[in-house]
Amino acid sequence: MSKENKGRQGLGPVTGHDSSVTGDLVRLMPRDLVFQIRFLGESQYRLQRYFQAFMESEMAARGLTPETHPMIGSFIETHATLLRDFVFAGVSLSHQFRLEEIERLLGDKANLLRVDLWDQLRSHIEIAERQFQSQLSDLPEQLSAWEKPGTAPGAKP
């Protein structure tokens, strides 16, 4: 029986008795997991476009236009994105919901959300591990810039 299946029997990861990192994360969910509001799609576009128009107007009032500063469009677009992200991050951080609140809102008395999150955590951890392992052969070359001066590549001090 796999470690994952063992964790699902009896007490399972929902109660925090699983010794794997996934089980530890699930055990810590009531304290450490929060859900945040996130704006997507057209909302992002509209706020960014608002900031672009705002910045264009403010800068034009001060004589800064595409005619006087040909690259100003790129500046405005980049900074409008930063302002948009600042606004959405602030709203997101001020509206956080704990796991128990979400479960209560969903009517999830059986903690199905935690089991689903456990499955997703385990799957993503495995993907991350495989990705790292696939890059190990290139790691010595990538880390050569971090070697102590005068040390031969791959040599142990």
Side-chain angles (χ1 to χ4, degrees):
M1 182 178 301
S2 74
K3 193 186 249 187
E4 187 172 306
N5 289 336
K6 284 180 186 176
R8 291 182 189 172
Q9 290 183 343
L11 297 175
V14 174
T15 60
H17 290 87
D18 187 85
S19 62
S20 72
V21 68
T22 307
D24 291 343
L25 294 174
V26 171
R27 181 181 52 78
L28 294 170
M29 277 186 202
R31 183 188 76 196
D32 294 347
L33 180 69
V34 295
F35 294 85
Q36 296 178 313
I37 292 172
R38 183 170 180 201
F39 290 88
L40 301 172
E42 188 177 350
S43 295
Q44 288 185 347
Y45 171 77
R46 285 186 179 242
L47 187 58
Q48 181 165 345
R49 189 62 205 120
Y50 165 79
F51 279 126
Q52 285 174 315
F54 169 78
M55 292 173 70
E56 288 168 359
S57 173
E58 290 293 314
M59 294 174 91
R62 289 161 180 79
L64 305 170
T65 66
E67 291 77 28
T68 63
H69 297 77
M71 298 300 292
I72 203 168
S74 295
F75 173 85
I76 289 173
E77 184 176 346
T78 300
H79 283 76
T81 302
L82 292 172
L83 293 176
R84 177 202 69 196
D85 292 348
F86 170 78
V87 169
F88 285 150
V91 172
S92 178
L93 290 172
S94 66
H95 288 83
Q96 295 182 0
F97 303 95
R98 294 267 177 219
L99 180 61
E100 292 85 7
E101 295 169 314
I102 296 296
E103 288 174 340
R104 189 171 41 250
L105 288 170
L106 295 174
D108 185 7
K109 301 297 183 206
N111 294 324
L112 296 176
L113 178 61
R114 295 179 198 219
V115 173
D116 183 51
L117 288 169
W118 188 88
D119 288 340
Q120 289 181 14
L121 281 167
R122 185 68 238 147
S123 174
H124 283 81
I125 289 169
E126 289 170 356
I127 290 169
E129 289 170 345
R130 283 193 304 270
Q131 180 66 25
F132 178 76
Q133 290 169 339
S134 74
Q135 296 172 353
L136 277 175
S137 62
D138 297 332
L139 200 53
E141 184 180 327
Q142 292 174 8
L143 294 177
S144 65
W146 296 87
E147 288 178 349
K148 187 170 149 182
T151 303
K156 297 192 180 198

